[in-house]
Amino acid sequence: MELTYGPEYDDFRAEVRNFCAVEGKRNKFGAMKMGEARPNQLAVDWQGKLIEAGYTARTIPKEYGGFGAKPDIIKSLIISEEFVKTGTRGGIQNQGISMLVPTLIEVGTEEQRQKYIKPTINGEMIWAQGYSEPGSGSDLASLKTKAVVDGDMFVINGQKIWTSSAQFADMCFILVRTEPDEAKHHGISYLLMSMDDPGIDVRPLVTMTGEAFFNEMFLTDVKTPVTSIVGKRGEGWRIANVTLKYERGMIGGSGGSSTGIRGLADMMHTETLSGVRAIDLPVYRDRLLKLQGRALANKYHGLRLLSNDINKTGTAVEGLIIKLSATYLAHDIYALAVDVMGEFGTLYDDSIYKRQKDWMKQYIGSFMGIIGGGTSQIQKNVISERGLGLPREPLVKYDQNGWDLLKK
Amino acid sequence: MRFGLSEEQTMLGDMLNKYLEAESSLDVIRESCDNTPHHNEKIWSGLLAQGAHTILIPEEYGGAGLSMLHSETVSEVLGKHIAPVSYLSNAVLSPLAITLAASDSQKELLLPGLASGDVSYGIGLTDAIVNRENTNLEITNGKVNGVSTFVIGGQTADKLILGKPGTLLLVDSNAEGVTIKPMITVDKTRDFAVVTLENAPCEVLGKEGSAAQAMQKLLNAGRISIAADTMGAADAMFNQALEYSKERFQFDRPIGSFQSIKHIFAEMVTELEPCRSLLWYAAHAFDEIEDEATLLACHSKAHIAEVAKTIGRATTELHGGMGFTDLLGLHFWFKRIEVNRQLLGGPEIQRHFAAVVQGWAPEAITAA
Ligand SMILES: Cc1cc2nc3c(=O)[nH]c(=O)nc-3n(C[C@H](O)[C@H](O)[C@H](O)COP(=O)(O)OP(=O)(O)OC[C@H]3O[C@@H](n4cnc5c(N)ncnc54)[C@H](O)[C@@H]3O)c2cc1C
């Protein structure tokens, strides 16, 4: 066990700490949630400062607008540690930055990289992810939205759903069927399309939190140049999986549960039931402690995964499990908060009774992590098949009307 | 940065694993379970030859002076093979009790015997944590009266270390006034005894009433070691069930292709792998980070017990009728996990102590 990073990182840490003390203090404004709204000018300016200092977009090459540092997980870790410790706001996180940019770096053309990476990491170009369709969610590869080539353009027709940020996005990375005669996984292409096209009709869908941050997206004769394909025709499934890998990591990060436990414990020290603090009631306290045990296990598992990355150790299953465990844990933490607050935990308006945190909203919101980016059941399929080597379910086809099995 | 075991610690585990694969077969375990005491001298002598018992004994007294992370590695392998040996009393708790609480002259006298493996120890801490039978140990003029329950390794011990809140004392097994009777638990891979003392000559380790801190640390060592043993046993049950579900066919399919079964495996591994990370960090905190040691030890004991309980149930069930038979022997692992769960305090008690160290609960149950 070697949990220090070595003296060669001391200077770097001091530099980051200094930045947070000087610049971080000067730039205090609330954190932005994924998909909430376009970053405002303040956020874009801050992003510019962070890139210049090398604290975000750190390893993205200079020619694409990044800082151009050599990958060093420990330095990235130090940055995030110091930012969290000092409450300094980190860089912008959105689907473009977290998912599309790494994909373009891995498999995009030089032209695509030149054109899209810089404005995306600057926070000026917002992307939507056009994967899911009404008939194709978990079974994404069954998607039907199609694109045909007409001259030097792809012409796209079909419908997408659950498309986060589409209401304000500039661009969309979208999966479409271009090779209808090929087997389902081999007929898909990965395209980049402008959201300005008049054939795109975006209709907001209100979620159970009461907000509308995802949408239906109807596509009628939408055009995008043939050069906007990432990878080759029919390779879209493979490219999409490059992107999904980054999504799973984005959702599964384990820092959240430690923060959740701390907030919950603080609340239980002030919330009283007939004069008794919730923390002093063993029935609630034991539930808190149970969750703390899980959160600690996840926290140190996060360190182990990091160490696996640095030292090239570990097995696949160790990484595959994190989204499943982190998202349910978050759900359970917020559920306890609501239980502790009782009827007051159900308040969805704070005009008369103020509470420290909007626990109910967090509780409901935790479904985003559980369902988005592949549901828990799909995670379990992946863990058991890819992680543990268990056999796939046999593929069968049902008749939609009579539940009879159809022969292939 | 490297989180986890060092190469040396991994090698230690691998070596022991090979040894136990050869020596601690199911047949051997069955034989030990049928004998009283259950402690298997042959397996133990092999461990002695490898020096596994000296890990936590300081070098100046003939030990290897290694860390809890080393010992944790050993405990996990012993749990995996449910080895019927008294490692916990002879290699973890007794050496630490002496190292932490005894006077220098007592250490000089006692530790070399442990390091050579010539003197065997039993240790009773249960009543010092939660006293259920009103079994107080009363010391007057070098004589002790009372009862100590669940003395680990008590039946095969030459010497006994017994705890009461704030004090650890030493008794000779053969001394007058000492009666040792086996306490037969459902787990027949380990020995527990009840020790009755009637005016038995005793010696306090260090000074009477001064062992509270030592006891806290000692309990942490116990919590981590038991959690590690459970971790190994749960991992073994998991792997055995995984193999079985790939081989056993029903409805012309391996049962492991049924999604309900695959998902149970996914849930189990999702809980189990982070347990290992927690355990490693708890052992590391014991070695290096005093502030966090008790919190992590309590949580690892509690959390791993909970996870292992679900794994014990699910893996037994996944074997169908075979899981319930004696034929397969899976039940030996199940029972080891169940006894580990209660030993030195079950999950609720551990979580209570975890709350106490964070200032979240008053100290209602005594510990140390
Ligand atoms: C907050 C949020 C944001 C999202 N943002 C986007 C976005 O920006 N872009 C985008 O393209 N998509 C987005 N999604 C969509 C998301 O990826 C899908 O909702 C998800 O993949 C599930 O698909 P579905 O909704 O069609 O459910 P279904 O696939 O219909 O699933 C219904 C139920 O059946 C289960 N199920 C399905 N197949 C199996 C199986 N093989 N085995 C066992 N159980 C199964 C599922 O687990 C689930 O419980 C978002 C979703 C959420 C919640």
Side-chain angles (χ1 to χ4, degrees):
Chain A
M1 189 74 75
E2 179 52 67
L3 295 185
T4 55
Y5 304 142
E8 69 268 31
Y9 289 103
D10 289 353
D11 286 350
F12 184 73
R13 187 184 289 279
E15 176 202 311
V16 182
R17 190 169 292 172
N18 183 53
F19 177 90
C20 292
V22 178
E23 294 295 334
K25 242 206 193 106
R26 222 183 282 159
N27 292 277
K28 283 256 181 257
F29 35 96
M32 207 184 92
K33 291 235 173 73
M34 223 181 95
E36 229 165 36
R38 282 190 83 90
N40 57 21
Q41 195 53 46
L42 224 53
V44 171
D45 291 348
W46 180 237
Q47 181 80 354
K49 216 167 239 161
L50 290 180
I51 296 178
E52 196 189 310
Y55 300 148
T56 198
R58 182 175 171 75
T59 57
I60 294 180
K62 271 212 158 73
E63 70 239 60
Y64 307 136
F67 180 72
K70 265 197 288 180
D72 183 333
I73 302 169
I74 293 181
K75 284 194 173 167
S76 308
L77 198 63
I78 289 173
I79 295 168
S80 103
E81 282 174 357
E82 290 300 323
F83 272 57
V84 169
K85 219 182 293 167
T86 54
T88 306
R89 174 170 162 163
I92 296 173
Q93 291 226 350
N94 60 33
Q95 295 184 340
I97 293 174
S98 308
M99 296 166 67
L100 178 78
V101 168
T103 305
L104 287 185
I105 288 179
E106 217 172 299
V107 288
T109 64
E110 187 52 33
E111 190 199 333
Q112 289 162 349
R113 293 179 190 147
Q114 292 287 355
K115 193 163 165 191
Y116 296 123
I117 295 181
K118 188 168 183 190
T120 304
I121 57 177
N122 283 346
E124 286 160 352
M125 182 180 279
I126 303 297
W127 291 79
Q129 174 196 19
Y131 284 11
S132 306
E133 295 182 7
S136 306
S138 302
D139 184 13
L140 185 60
S142 69
L143 60 93
K144 293 196 182 65
T145 295
K146 64 172 193 223
V148 292
V149 175
D150 182 6
D152 52 4
M153 288 285 174
F154 278 110
V155 182
I156 309 168
N157 278 285
Q159 186 195 342
K160 294 289 171 179
I161 195 168
W162 321 130
T163 326
S164 306
S165 315
Q167 70 273 34
F168 53 77
D170 308 292
M171 295 287 298
C172 177
F173 50 100
I174 184 170
L175 291 180
V176 292
R177 190 159 300 282
T178 52
E179 327 298 314
D181 299 330
E182 295 289 331
K184 86 178 186 187
H185 293 85
H186 299 285
I188 298 169
S189 296
Y190 188 116
L191 306 181
L192 309 177
M193 101 189 163
S194 163
M195 293 294 287
D196 289 337
D197 192 289
I200 302 177
D201 179 13
V202 173
R203 299 181 201 163
L205 285 168
V206 178
T207 72
M208 64 191 279
T209 67
E211 297 143 324
F213 49 75
F214 59 26
N215 307 272
E216 294 178 291
M217 191 163 75
F218 297 88
L219 306 156
T220 316
D221 292 335
V222 176
K223 294 184 186 61
T224 193
V226 285
T227 52
S228 72
I229 188 168
V230 181
K232 295 204 182 72
R233 283 178 59 157
E235 272 187 353
W237 185 252
R238 186 177 67 80
I239 312 284
N241 275 305
V242 171
T243 314
L244 277 176
K245 175 176 74 187
Y246 295 107
E247 183 169 26
R248 208 172 290 128
M250 185 170 74
I251 297 176
S254 65
S257 58
S258 303
T259 321
I261 293 286
R262 215 174 308 130
L264 176 55
D266 287 348
M267 184 269 276
M268 287 173 65
H269 277 82
T270 52
E271 185 73 15
T272 55
L273 295 85
S274 303
V276 183
R277 298 183 310 171
I279 193 75
D280 294 328
L281 291 165
V283 280
Y284 294 122
R285 189 172 62 220
D286 192 52
R287 278 181 65 188
L288 171 66
L289 269 293
K290 264 189 185 168
L291 293 173
Q292 187 180 41
R294 285 167 63 190
L296 284 171
N298 280 9
K299 174 176 170 186
Y300 296 111
H301 194 64
L303 272 189
R304 176 165 155 206
L305 291 180
L306 214 68
S307 165
N308 283 350
D309 258 2
I310 295 170
N311 303 304
K312 308 271 169 282
T313 49
T315 56
V317 74
E318 291 168 27
L320 292 174
I321 63 180
I322 56 172
K323 182 191 179 256
L324 182 63
S325 81
T327 55
Y328 276 150
L329 176 59
H331 184 80
D332 292 348
I333 288 172
Y334 301 131
L336 174 56
V338 170
D339 283 351
V340 165
M341 293 172 61
E343 287 95 331
F344 287 83
T346 68
L347 284 177
Y348 215 56
D349 170 298
D350 62 1
S351 54
I352 303 176
Y353 289 100
K354 299 233 181 301
R355 283 296 186 264
Q356 290 159 307
K357 257 200 179 159
D358 208 343
W359 292 105
M360 176 53 84
K361 189 164 173 189
Q362 305 238 41
Y363 173 56
I364 297 177
S366 64
F367 280 109
M368 289 194 249
I370 293 174
I371 300 169
T375 65
S376 295
Q377 285 70 40
I378 297 303
Q379 300 303 318
K380 290 179 196 175
N381 286 352
V382 171
I383 293 166
S384 57
E385 286 164 18
R386 266 189 260 157
L388 300 175
L390 286 167
R392 296 181 63 101
E393 289 260 329
L395 286 176
V396 291
K397 265 193 172 163
Y398 282 87
D399 171 16
Q400 296 256 3
N401 304 315
W403 289 2
D404 289 326
L405 289 185
L406 299 177
K407 283 252 162 65
K408 276 216 176 162
Chain B
M1 187 257 189
R2 185 193 176 100
F3 183 90
L5 303 181
S6 66
E7 254 168 59
E8 180 210 358
Q9 287 155 348
T10 309
M11 265 165 54
L12 170 70
D14 289 348
M15 192 176 75
L16 210 63
N17 193 39
K18 276 214 186 83
Y19 169 70
L20 291 174
E21 247 161 34
E23 297 297 324
S24 188
S25 67
L26 192 53
D27 287 339
V28 172
I29 289 165
R30 280 185 197 283
E31 212 179 293
S32 288
C33 288
D34 290 341
N35 296 336
T36 333
H38 307 306
H39 178 74
N40 185 308
E41 270 304 330
K42 185 158 174 253
I43 298 177
W44 182 242
S45 63
L47 292 180
L48 290 179
Q50 296 182 36
H53 65 301
T54 67
I55 289 175
L56 293 171
I57 300 174
E59 276 176 295
E60 62 210 280
Y61 300 107
L66 296 171
S67 68
M68 182 50 77
L69 206 48
H70 287 86
S71 179
E72 178 281 322
T73 310
V74 172
S75 297
E76 195 180 324
V77 178
L78 293 174
K80 177 178 169 194
H81 294 278
I82 53 168
V85 291
S86 298
Y87 179 80
L88 185 59
S89 55
N90 280 304
V92 180
L93 296 178
S94 302
L96 278 177
I98 296 167
T99 309
L100 294 167
S103 68
D104 285 347
S105 56
Q106 285 173 321
K107 287 183 203 172
E108 268 163 42
L109 210 66
L110 301 171
L111 287 173
L114 267 167
S116 66
D118 292 337
V119 187
S120 67
Y121 281 72
I123 185 160
L125 300 171
T126 290
D127 312 285
I129 306 166
V130 182
N131 196 336
R132 295 171 196 266
E133 286 283 311
N134 224 357
T135 54
N136 296 318
L137 297 178
E138 298 291 345
I139 309 168
T140 28
N141 300 328
K143 295 277 165 76
V144 57
N145 280 289
V147 178
S148 189
T149 65
F150 285 95
V151 178
I152 305 167
Q155 291 168 63
T156 49
D158 302 311
K159 287 178 187 294
L160 303 165
I161 296 173
L162 306 174
K164 58 182 265 172
T167 304
L168 288 160
L169 51 103
L170 183 70
V171 173
D172 231 79
S173 301
N174 300 319
E176 215 172 305
V178 179
T179 317
I180 303 172
K181 285 198 181 128
M183 287 181 93
I184 309 290
T185 71
V186 69
D187 169 25
K188 299 205 172 17
T189 62
R190 269 131 359 133
D191 292 310
F192 303 97
V194 51
V195 176
T196 309
L197 305 147
E198 286 166 318
N199 268 328
C202 74
E203 189 184 331
V204 171
L205 292 181
K207 289 204 196 81
E208 197 172 343
S210 68
Q213 246 188 327
M215 192 93 108
Q216 181 67 270
K217 197 154 185 202
L218 191 57
L219 288 179
N220 288 343
R223 289 163 177 147
I224 293 166
S225 305
I226 295 167
D229 194 272
T230 297
M231 179 75 214
D235 199 40
M237 289 189 93
F238 176 86
N239 283 313
Q240 194 165 336
L242 188 61
E243 286 310 305
Y244 188 73
S245 73
K246 289 174 182 171
E247 288 159 10
R248 170 76 176 166
F249 271 66
Q250 287 290 281
F251 300 95
D252 298 325
R253 295 164 59 175
I255 56 167
S257 71
F258 292 112
Q259 201 179 45
S260 64
I261 288 185
K262 285 160 65 172
H263 283 194
I264 292 172
F265 277 109
E267 286 159 16
M268 289 196 285
V269 75
T270 298
E271 295 280 323
L272 194 59
E273 277 307 322
C275 283
R276 188 171 277 125
S277 311
L278 178 64
L279 193 56
W280 285 343
Y281 189 79
H284 174 67
F286 182 94
D287 292 328
E288 311 267 349
I289 316 170
E290 209 175 328
D291 284 354
E292 298 180 30
T294 301
L295 180 71
L296 268 299
C298 291
H299 267 310
S300 59
K301 171 99 178 26
H303 181 67
I304 295 172
E306 303 283 27
V307 170
K309 193 174 181 67
T310 25
I311 289 181
R313 194 209 68 209
T315 54
T316 300
E317 188 183 337
L318 283 166
H319 282 84
M322 195 51 96
F324 193 61
T325 62
D326 177 51
L327 234 57
L328 197 66
L330 199 65
H331 65 94
F332 292 118
W333 277 262
F334 182 94
K335 291 165 182 171
R336 179 114 161 183
I337 287 171
E338 288 298 315
V339 168
N340 281 346
R341 181 180 173 93
Q342 308 304 340
L343 201 55
L344 306 188
E348 286 75 15
I349 291 167
Q350 302 305 335
R351 288 194 291 267
H352 171 73
F353 290 136
V356 170
V357 289
Q358 297 178 89
W360 291 356
E363 215 149 320
I365 314 174
T366 49

